[in-house]
Amino acid sequence: QVQLVESGGDLVQAGGSLRLSCAASLITLSFTTNGWYRQAPGKQRELVATISPGGHTNYEDFVKGRFTISRDNAKNTVHLQMNSLKPEDTAVYYCSALRPGTNYRYWGQGTQVTVSS
């Protein structure tokens, strides 16, 4: 069974940094598009950033210049480096990967990021 396991969420002060990780099993992340999403209380889940099999990255405007998505192919892990964090970045962050050749999306269980003002 494919598993995505996020880690790295924490409580941090505004202006601080966190690095999220997503370790995968039974799926090779470099073969498909990977993404980070987030869901704040009372809000819908939203896309944060994606990385393609070729390493091309895309970011939503609200994180451009602050967040960086990357992938370690040797460790089959995707990371999200988050700098200059703001209270509005508070959310549960989810890792996602597409089943290769399909539009089916695998999800991790999420990791909580809380940014205090």
Side-chain angles (χ1 to χ4, degrees):
Q1 184 174 344
V2 171
Q3 279 195 318
L4 302 175
V5 180
E6 301 97 334
S7 62
D10 206 345
L11 170 63
V12 64
Q13 287 190 334
S17 298
L18 284 174
R19 186 183 191 225
L20 305 183
S21 298
C22 172
S25 58
L26 298 182
I27 184 172
T28 302
L29 293 179
S30 61
F31 288 178
T32 186
T33 297
N34 319 138
W36 284 96
Y37 291 71
R38 69 186 188 185
Q39 187 166 19
K43 295 188 177 181
Q44 289 190 331
R45 190 173 299 188
E46 61 182 359
L47 176 65
V48 174
T50 59
I51 183 167
S52 73
H56 181 72
T57 58
N58 269 304
Y59 300 91
E60 293 300 296
D61 286 345
F62 52 79
V63 302
K64 279 182 181 177
R66 300 189 298 125
F67 291 10
T68 303
I69 188 171
S70 62
R71 185 171 55 227
D72 184 334
N73 293 339
K75 294 184 179 180
N76 204 28
T77 301
V78 174
H79 301 286
L80 185 69
Q81 177 66 43
M82 306 187 296
N83 298 329
S84 302
L85 282 162
K86 305 175 182 180
E88 51 263 44
D89 293 319
T90 295
V92 177
Y93 283 71
Y94 296 91
C95 173
S96 174
L98 286 173
R99 180 188 291 170
T102 75
N103 288 325
Y104 180 83
R105 190 174 297 280
Y106 297 105
W107 294 97
Q109 83 289 349
T111 186
Q112 177 70 47
V113 172
T114 303
V115 184
S116 63
S117 56

